[in-house]
Each structure stands twice: as structure tokens, then as C-alpha cells.
Amino acid sequence: MSQSARPAVVLGVESSCDETGFGIVSEGRLLGQGLASSAAQHAEFGGVVPEIAARAHLDAAAPTLRLALADAGVELGDITHVAATSGPGLATAVHVGLAAAKSIAWALDVPLYGVHHLAGHAAADTLAHGPLPEESIILIVSGGHTSILHVRDLVRDPIEHLGDTLDDAAGEAFDKVARLLGLGYPGGPAISRAALEGDPAAFSFPRAMLRPGDAPYTFSFSGLKTAVARTVETLERAGEPVPVADIAASFEQAAVDVLVTKSLRAVQAKGLSTLVIVGGVAANARLRAVAQERCDAAGVELRIPPMSLCTDNGAMIAAVGDLLVRSGAGPSSLGIAADPSAVLHGAQLPLPEGFAA
Ligand code: KG4
Ligand code: ZN
């Protein structure tokens, strides 16, 4: 069989935060993956400590790669392309995965693709639900980013930001509010769990930037976080018990309300019919339920990856690599640098020369 007739088998490497992920994707299909998390090592600090994360990636890289190969039932020699997160993320953490990916690509003599982490979140959905439509609105809600994107071909076309957050990312707000409520790190899942027992209407927390005249697709979550902090302080000062479940549920409801309202507004304003919600916060059960309800009412198709593909993983990076390979994109140089604060303009990072962003 000629080289070109052989389907690409793409290894994806993710190390931008506290998850070490390796995934293997071929022609849009997830063959297998391995995932290790250093979250428990950061818990006592209340957030990710970059140096600890980097060391954990180093320890986890080889065993997690082995797990992914075994899960996929392929040998290292079967890999035809390597894709790695080259940004954004914690610099020390991104470096470890990127260096591992370069070493593997060099040793196997196969092409390397630098991938934008957030394009990975979007591509994760294709592993569960097939190719994205020709045009869609993608809401990215992660620990570091919150954006409403107008996306055409995820890997061929420039990605248009309709709106971003002015301050905290949605996941960051979950993490900070969890800390305020003494729920620990990581905050999103902890808030979700606490909120199950709470009344989402118990407290009326602010929904920022929803007034007429406000930027329609721009978010701000710092006021919401401050409102929660003030509520907790007031109760504590009065010597009253803090109703953690009610506050968690009411906070969650306020955040979800704004996220869904603005992204559905974008779908309708652009005359589109699909909303895709991705990133760690897309694992939130209330967000999934409220988005489904409102999309059904509006006749909009909602796509959200399964929970396990919402938070960081290597499969999503392999999915972008696989799309890039099949689109005919040229590989990145083995000399590419990590870009810890890269804004999402295109799926490949650095952007290929001549890419009109
Ligand atoms: O996408 P991700 O795994 O990493 C980044 O790229 O940042 O997102 C992590 C974020 C964290 O802020 C975490 O608290 C949040 O996603 N998260 C959740 C849930 N699971 C994770 N937020 C709300 N509800 C959840 N169930
Ligand atoms: Zn992420």
C-alpha cells in the first residue's frame, strides 16, 4: 500500500494545565486515549501550581502514552502524525508536552502539528457527533477562556471572536466561588455537586452585560464573583450559617443564564441553526440542561461533547491534528515555540504563513 493510501493515525499530546493527555485519532474516529491528572497535587494550594504541573507532566508522559497506545491497540510505529498543544496554557506545562511531541515526531520521522488548545476543545465534539456543520456558533467555556466564536471550517478558516470575557473566565469564576465557599479545587465539579442540593432561586445574583446597549456577546464574571463574596461576608458577619448549597446553585444559575442567553443570541443573529458548547465548564450539568431546554424551544441544534471530552484531554488535540492532516495543511516546524498566551485565530499554532486571520 502506498504511503498516501494509508489512513493517518494521529497522536495528540496535551499538557497545557494539570492534565497530561495522549489521544489517538484516525479519520475522525477516536481509537484510544490515556489521561493523567495532577489536580490532587494542587488541591492544598487552591489552584494549579505551574512548577508542580510541569513536573507531573514529566512523570506522567511515558506511562500515559503507553496507556493511550494500549487503549487504541496500536504500536508507536503505527503513528503517522503527531499533534501537540503549543498554547495557550501554563508555559512550563506546555513546554513538557510539546517537547515530548517533538521527540516522538523526530524519532518516528513523522510530521508535527502545533495545535491551539481551544481549537482542540471545539474539535472534541467531532469525536462524538461527527463533522461540524459548515457554519456554527461555538461557546468555549474553560478555566482560562470564555468566548463566543463564529466558526466555519474549524481548520481551514479564520475563527471570528464575536465576544470574549472582560475579566474572569467562566471556569475561573467557578473555581473562585468554590474557594469562597470552602469547596476546594477544582471548583467546577465541587460547585456542581453542592448545587444539586440547593435552590437556584434562593439568591438573585447579577447577570452582567445583559442590558440593552451592553456589548451583546461580551461577558463579565468578576461582578458575580464579588456579589457571592459579599453575600458570604454579610452572613458571616451576622453570625448566620452560610447556605452553601443555595449559594452554589444560585451562582451556577446566574452564570449559566448569561452564557446560554448570549450564545443563543449569537446563533439567532447570524441566522444559524447550531450551537456547540465546549471546554471544561461544558461538563456542568445545569449548563447542559438549561442550554438544551432553550435550544429546543428556539429550534436550535445543540452539540456538547460527552463530559469526559469536555475537560482537557489528548484526544481533542489528536482530533485537530487529524482534521489538519485531512485538510492538506502543511506540518509545523520541529522548532516551533510554545505560545502561552496565544489568542485563537486558527486551529494551527503558530498560524501557517499566509493564513488570513
Ligand atoms: O477546559 P479545561 O479542562 O481547562 C482549561 O482549558 O482551562 O477547564 C477547566 C475548568 C475549571 O475552571 C473547572 O472548574 C471547570 O472547567 N469545570 C467545571 C466543571 N468541570 C470542570 N465547571 C463547572 N461545572 C463542572 N462540572
Ligand atoms: Zn482546556
Side-chain angles (χ1 to χ4, degrees):
M1 206 189 290
S2 77
Q3 180 72 22
S4 59
R6 220 174 108 205
V9 179
V10 184
L11 174 70
V13 186
E14 159 60 30
S15 74
S16 66
C17 192
D18 56 354
E19 260 97 28
T20 313
F22 287 84
I24 300 166
V25 168
S26 182
E27 302 200 302
R29 215 162 52 84
L30 175 60
L31 300 184
Q33 62 170 323
L35 192 65
S37 173
S38 61
Q41 295 179 54
H42 308 289
E44 66 177 294
F45 304 100
V48 179
V49 183
E51 278 309 322
I52 293 178
R55 221 170 316 137
H57 287 309
L58 265 180
D59 290 341
T64 311
L65 168 59
R66 252 181 250 124
L67 280 179
L69 291 168
D71 189 40
V74 304
E75 305 284 332
L76 192 56
D78 296 331
I79 300 297
T80 59
H81 302 76
V82 179
T85 296
S86 46
L90 303 168
T92 54
V94 175
H95 278 135
V96 178
L98 185 56
K102 286 179 181 181
S103 315
I104 297 165
W106 181 77
L108 296 178
D109 194 21
V110 299
L112 172 79
Y113 289 81
V115 164
H116 195 292
H117 176 81
L118 297 177
H121 276 301
D125 188 65
T126 66
L127 296 174
H129 301 124
L132 290 169
E134 264 177 37
E135 215 175 325
S136 61
I137 294 297
I138 302 190
L139 169 68
I140 292 201
V141 271
S142 74
H145 298 86
T146 301
S147 302
I148 295 180
L149 308 170
H150 182 196
V151 175
R152 293 181 174 85
D153 186 307
L154 181 65
V155 298
R156 284 193 170 96
D157 295 321
I159 294 167
E160 183 191 358
H161 288 240
L162 298 180
D164 301 282
T165 177
L166 294 176
D167 38 59
D168 294 345
E172 196 178 351
F174 272 85
D175 293 333
K176 288 178 175 171
V177 167
R179 208 176 312 159
L180 277 169
L181 295 176
L183 293 173
Y185 175 86
I191 294 262
S192 271
R193 269 193 306 276
L196 285 176
E197 312 289 320
D199 173 7
F203 294 85
S204 172
F205 290 129
R207 273 86 166 146
M209 316 265 318
L210 280 184
R211 264 170 284 163
D214 286 339
Y217 312 119
T218 301
F219 297 104
S220 167
F221 289 106
S222 73
L224 173 57
K225 171 199 65 194
T226 307
V228 174
R230 235 180 269 132
T231 301
V232 171
E233 273 162 29
T234 308
L235 288 165
E236 283 175 344
R237 221 176 296 127
E240 287 178 33
V242 175
V244 170
D246 283 348
I247 295 181
S250 303
F251 156 76
E252 204 179 58
Q253 188 68 31
V256 163
D257 192 11
V258 181
L259 290 169
V260 176
T261 301
K262 291 198 173 232
S263 37
L264 252 185
R265 183 189 274 173
V267 174
Q268 287 167 330
K270 293 284 175 191
L272 300 177
S273 54
T274 307
L275 173 63
V276 190
I277 306 184
V278 300
V281 182
N284 183 269
R286 193 180 306 269
L287 174 58
R288 299 172 82 98
V290 170
Q292 192 64 62
E293 198 179 296
R294 294 209 205 152
C295 282
D296 286 349
V300 167
E301 182 204 15
L302 175 68
R303 296 174 48 143
I304 309 183
M307 296 228 201
S308 62
L309 288 175
C310 286
T311 42
D312 293 347
N313 62 81
M316 69 189 208
I317 305 304
V320 179
D322 173 64
L323 288 169
L324 283 166
V325 171
R326 288 191 286 144
S327 77
S332 310
S333 134
L334 274 184
I336 57 170
D339 188 347
S341 53
V343 175
L344 179 62
H345 294 301
Q348 205 170 351
L349 181 72
L351 290 171
E353 229 166 277
F355 187 90

